[in-house]
Amino acid sequence: MNIKQSFDISIRDKFLHGEECLPGIKSTDISEFGRLVNGKIRETYFTDDFGKILLSSMPTDVVDAYKNGKGNEIDNGKFFSVASSSRFAVASFTENRDKQLHNIQMFEGEPIQKIQFEYPLRINRILGTPPQMDVYIKTSKETFVEVKCHEIFDESSHSIIKLSSQYINNSLFKEILEHYKINTADRACEFDSEGNCVRLQLTRNHFNVLSKTTRFDLKQFLCHLMGIVSNTSLDENKQFIYLFYKNTNVEFYSVYAELEEEIELIKTSFKWLFDKYNITFRVMYNTKFDTLQ
């Protein structure tokens, strides 16, 4: 068993011992776990029947957002993993009223004008499916929230940053390349048979994130930054928040310590960008699948 599997099992066991899997909703019977995924029964997924109970408790617009969003995590079953970051997002930004979930109405002491899950962020001059922010909240300012649970264990997919060459057409990405003195004519670029750059292949070192671990998805972070800048005005104050599920079991303490070291490097390296575009970047934690306090 690897550490990611151990992490998922520990969350399942927390549910079995009475913790909520969505606000006001519990799954304390082992019979509520077990789903066929890729031809194999996974005990760290909720059953089809219990999954239907979860969906019936959620606001219709939220269910539709996930069904219509990139990847459709409801139909492909990912939403029903015990460690699903999508379900963790729903848990953190909804509240149970009269045995039904409703979107939260206040955020950081202010009334919410708009809240949307799976919020698309079209990047200027980039074709294809836009990146999606897990939660978008509009109060007196705009807040963009990226939510993570067991993705912090996907280190192998975080080590290399692969981007289509079309990103070179985006003005912010041009700034980023210039700031970090990244020359796309060298090994950072993959060329086709005619000598055209078709894909950028970068590392965290290009961005001065010199960490031994890769808990943080830097490629997605860059895409979200380009999306935020593409969809907001320069002088408008906005927030970019990462919300992580924090497993309180002692065996995972070192993992979160590594993650926090990486985040401090990212804060330092990208301070110039946050300052220029009036972005407040910060991290939040929730230790339960319940309304964020």
Side-chain angles (χ1 to χ4, degrees), residues 228-245:
I228 291 170
V229 170
S230 295
N231 289 274
T232 57
S233 62
L234 177 63
D235 58 354
E236 177 186 357
N237 291 323
K238 72 280 293 184
Q239 293 192 103
F240 184 16
I241 297 175
Y242 268 76
L243 171 65
F244 291 94
Y245 171 80

Side-chain angles (χ1 to χ4, degrees), residues 248-262:
T248 55
N249 288 21
V250 66
E251 64 184 295
F252 305 113
Y253 282 5
S254 62
V255 173
Y256 290 104
E258 292 167 352
L259 173 65
E260 287 166 10
E261 285 181 15
E262 292 180 37

Side-chain angles (χ1 to χ4, degrees), residues 271-285:
K271 184 179 184 301
W272 66 274
L273 191 155
F274 300 143
D275 289 346
K276 178 175 180 178
Y277 290 95
N278 291 303
I279 298 171
T280 299
F281 174 75
R282 59 195 179 92
V283 170
M284 300 174 72
Y285 292 100

Side-chain angles (χ1 to χ4, degrees), residues 18-65:
E19 287 194 11
E20 296 167 330
C21 57
L22 280 175
I25 300 172
K26 297 184 178 182
S27 51
T28 57
D29 195 312
I30 193 66
S31 67
E32 293 168 340
F33 299 89
R35 177 181 287 256
L36 186 65
V37 180
N38 297 326
K40 184 177 180 181
I41 294 294
R42 305 286 182 177
E43 298 301 331
T44 53
Y45 282 70
F46 296 111
T47 62
D48 290 344
D49 287 344
F50 191 74
K52 292 174 183 176
I53 293 173
L54 295 178
L55 294 180
S56 68
S57 73
M58 291 164 49
T60 301
D61 65 310
V62 176
V63 175
D64 290 343

Side-chain angles (χ1 to χ4, degrees), residues 43-150:
E43 298 301 331
T44 53
Y45 282 70
F46 296 111
T47 62
D48 290 344
D49 287 344
F50 191 74
K52 292 174 183 176
I53 293 173
L54 295 178
L55 294 180
S56 68
S57 73
M58 291 164 49
T60 301
D61 65 310
V62 176
V63 175
D64 290 343
Y66 285 103
K67 278 184 169 288
N68 299 326
K70 183 179 179 181
N72 188 350
E73 294 197 2
I74 288 178
D75 287 347
N76 70 20
K78 290 183 179 180
F79 189 87
F80 306 106
S81 164
V82 295
S84 162
S85 58
S86 295
R87 203 185 73 264
F88 179 52
V90 174
S92 295
F93 293 98
T94 61
E95 54 194 3
N96 194 310
R97 300 197 300 270
D98 300 323
K99 299 182 180 180
Q100 191 70 25
L101 299 184
H102 300 268
N103 295 339
I104 58 171
Q105 297 178 311
M106 301 284 291
F107 183 67
E108 298 186 325
E110 292 190 57
I112 292 174
Q113 301 171 27
K114 178 181 178 179
I115 181 170
Q116 183 175 331
F117 295 82
E118 294 289 270
Y119 186 75
L121 284 174
R122 175 70 61 185
I123 300 173
N124 290 340
R125 303 181 66 83
I126 305 297
L127 302 176
T129 305
Q132 292 186 308
M133 192 64 64
D134 287 309
V135 186
Y136 168 81
I137 299 173
K138 173 69 173 175
T139 55
S140 63
K141 56 182 171 289
E142 291 184 281
T143 297
F144 302 86
V145 187
E146 180 61 24
V147 181
K148 299 293 184 188
C149 189
H150 61 182

